[in-house]
Amino acid sequence: MGGKEEEYVKEAFDTNWIAPLGHNVNAFELEMSDYLNIKSATALSAGTAAIHLSLIINGVKAGDEVICQTFTFSGSANPIAYQQAKPIFVDSEKESWNIDPVLLEEAITDRKKKTGKYPSAVIAVHLYGQSAKIDEIVSICRKYKIPLIEDAAEALGASFKGKKLGTFGDIGILSFNGNKILTTSGGGMLVSDNTEFTKKAKYLATQARDDARHYEHSQIGYNYRMSNVLAGIGRGQLLVLENRVERKRQIFDKYFNAFGRVRGITFQPELKDSKGNRWLTTILLDPKESATDREKIRLELNKYNIESRPLWKPMHLQPVFKGCDNYVNKTSEKMFDQGLCLPSDTKMTDAQLDEIIEIIAGLLKI
Ligand SMILES: Cc1ncc(COP(=O)(O)O)c(C=O)c1O
């Protein structure tokens, strides 16, 4: 926590707005819209809820196909199944580790050939806080008139050509899960320059209550709004977001200075003209080139009670999505085999970081 969160939470208690609406919710939406320089935002209970509502708002229904980056967390893809739509998974390129625009266009045109219809939406992700090739992805989606849902769950505070990630798609989504750069313990947001979308999201997230004196419903709704107490935490967190991005980038620089030139190690790259938030510092270890491998490092750190984790297992390899069509090129499979998320918490001291670096350097024999 940054310090101010409790004041906003206290305000919710003092005014007795312990509810999924209130001043903090409205203010958090406005402050986030200002920060992102986008017209509107709807605060929700989770990033997953934001993706689910984005699909509904874009008319995705049972049997439709939705393209999703395969190299991601399951929260990106599960909402496709909530709609009984079919996920089509597309692999990543090596320059940002995010969805490959060439493969994306290939997938779109191939689906049209195979089904007679274009996919109903595309979900692109800025994984680990690093920008995807978003200009190209936007142009492809416009060319085929397919709505783009930009999953910026891990990328709050990052930008491409000076424009904040999450503001490129028809709808952007954010996550404030406990592990994210800004947290409300759990929470999310749907953001858009189209105010009809955020209005519709608010309506659907409050059980789709129609405008009437009594409780009238003409559509199925959801209980997806953010609590006024948690929005208070979010407001306080927003005040320290820029500091957190800078600290995350310092942590990356420290690892990169130590291992950036070591044979067999590749760091997640940063696209030209982009500034990632380096939510997690992630590396690949080529066991043929290196004195060690991913698992050896992970297990050695574990001995010191230091947690590191493999990269996301691609969705097309997940048992739950077995049989879904995919357009893959082995990039995400290699990343899953060789990739490691290094400890990246902004609370770590430089001394703790040095300790981690020393342990890894020992295995690398440098
Ligand atoms: C890439 C990605 N998409 C979606 C989500 C879902 O967000 P939430 O956990 O807030 O539902 C997460 C994180 O949890 C994520 O990392």
Side-chain angles (χ1 to χ4, degrees):
M1 293 291 101
K4 281 270 190 190
E5 293 85 351
E6 275 184 303
E7 268 178 45
Y8 292 116
V9 170
K10 186 169 181 302
E11 190 184 305
F13 275 70
D14 290 346
T15 55
N16 209 22
W17 279 97
I18 311 298
L21 76 169
H23 176 65
N24 277 335
V25 176
N26 299 337
F28 188 33
E29 289 173 344
L30 286 174
E31 286 155 10
M32 185 61 81
S33 307
D34 270 359
Y35 173 78
L36 293 174
N37 198 14
I38 198 162
K39 276 204 190 121
S40 58
T42 297
L44 298 168
S45 54
T48 310
I51 297 180
H52 188 197
L53 295 184
S54 304
L55 294 174
I56 299 172
I57 289 165
N58 281 296
V60 173
K61 53 189 189 318
D64 284 359
E65 292 191 338
V66 173
I67 289 184
C68 183
Q69 181 165 322
T70 192
F71 189 40
T72 188
F73 173 64
S74 64
S76 305
N78 283 339
I80 303 171
Y82 302 165
Q83 284 308 95
Q84 294 174 339
K86 292 185 198 154
I88 306 288
F89 294 114
V90 175
D91 219 324
S92 291
E93 34 76 12
K94 293 188 181 70
E95 288 154 66
S96 77
W97 298 8
N98 289 303
I99 197 165
D100 182 339
V102 177
L103 262 186
L104 170 64
E105 186 156 21
E106 213 178 292
I108 290 172
T109 51
D110 195 54
R111 294 326 293 172
K112 168 79 170 153
K113 244 190 265 160
K114 290 205 164 102
T115 67
K117 252 176 74 176
Y118 285 120
S120 301
V122 167
I123 301 171
V125 188
H126 304 290
L127 218 57
Y128 303 117
Q130 294 305 107
S131 178
K133 292 187 173 177
I134 195 67
D135 267 356
E136 291 163 56
I137 296 163
V138 168
S139 334
I140 293 166
C141 289
R142 291 231 173 98
K143 182 170 161 192
Y144 297 98
K145 300 192 171 52
I146 302 174
L148 172 62
I149 298 162
E150 191 189 354
D151 180 344
E154 300 176 1
L156 180 58
S159 58
F160 180 76
K161 293 185 178 163
K163 186 171 153 66
K164 290 280 190 285
L165 299 186
T167 66
F168 287 84
D170 296 283
I171 290 180
I173 77 95
L174 306 171
S175 165
F176 311 128
N177 195 298
N179 57 10
K180 296 297 187 294
I181 195 160
L182 180 161
T183 186
T184 56
S185 75
M189 208 173 263
L190 183 153
V191 301
S192 182
D193 271 325
N194 184 337
T195 50
E196 286 306 311
F197 286 164
T198 41
K199 229 170 98 185
K200 187 81 195 276
K202 208 171 284 184
Y203 163 75
L204 290 170
T206 43
Q207 303 287 23
R209 185 180 174 191
D210 293 339
D211 195 11
R213 280 179 62 193
H214 56 277
Y215 281 83
E216 176 92 358
H217 305 277
S218 49
Q219 225 181 311
I220 294 294
Y222 302 85
N223 183 5
Y224 276 174
R225 270 301 246 171
M226 177 180 280
S227 150
N228 193 50
V229 179
L230 300 187
I233 302 178
R235 293 182 72 195
Q237 287 269 283
L238 199 48
L239 300 173
V240 292
L241 176 61
E242 286 297 308
N243 298 345
R244 296 286 152 85
V245 173
E246 288 321 308
R247 179 63 185 152
K248 290 274 192 192
R249 290 182 64 86
Q250 275 174 11
I251 291 169
F252 171 87
D253 288 344
K254 221 159 154 38
Y255 284 125
F256 189 80
N257 289 338
F259 306 127
R261 276 171 292 278
V262 175
R263 252 173 84 97
I265 295 193
T266 313
F267 282 76
Q268 183 178 14
E270 185 156 64
L271 286 183
K272 186 172 168 292
D273 297 329
S274 75
K275 183 179 175 189
N277 69 10
R278 294 291 184 196
W279 173 54
L280 298 182
T281 293
T282 52
I283 55 170
L284 302 181
L285 270 131
D286 184 344
K288 287 196 219 92
E289 299 275 331
S290 173
T292 186
D293 63 32
R294 192 273 307 284
E295 271 309 276
K296 282 190 194 129
I297 296 185
R298 193 181 70 77
L299 294 171
E300 185 65 17
L301 288 172
N302 205 37
K303 281 189 202 157
Y304 296 83
N305 199 23
I306 298 168
E307 190 190 13
S308 61
R309 290 185 192 176
L311 301 190
W312 299 126
K313 180 173 181 176
M315 291 303 115
H316 72 274
L317 299 180
Q318 296 287 357
V320 73
F321 292 122
K322 200 167 163 217
C324 291
D325 281 314
N326 59 62
Y327 296 79
V328 294
N329 56 16
K330 299 256 182 243
T331 303
S332 58
E333 290 177 27
K334 179 179 149 189
M335 286 163 178
F336 174 56
D337 282 344
Q338 301 187 356
L340 188 68
C341 300
L342 294 171
S344 305
D345 197 309
T346 51
K347 288 189 306 296
M348 277 190 303
T349 61
D350 279 348
Q352 287 173 321
L353 261 170
D354 288 337
E355 188 190 336
I356 296 164
I357 288 169
E358 208 181 301
I359 297 167
I360 300 173
L363 290 171
L364 290 167
K365 304 197 189 333
I366 53 170

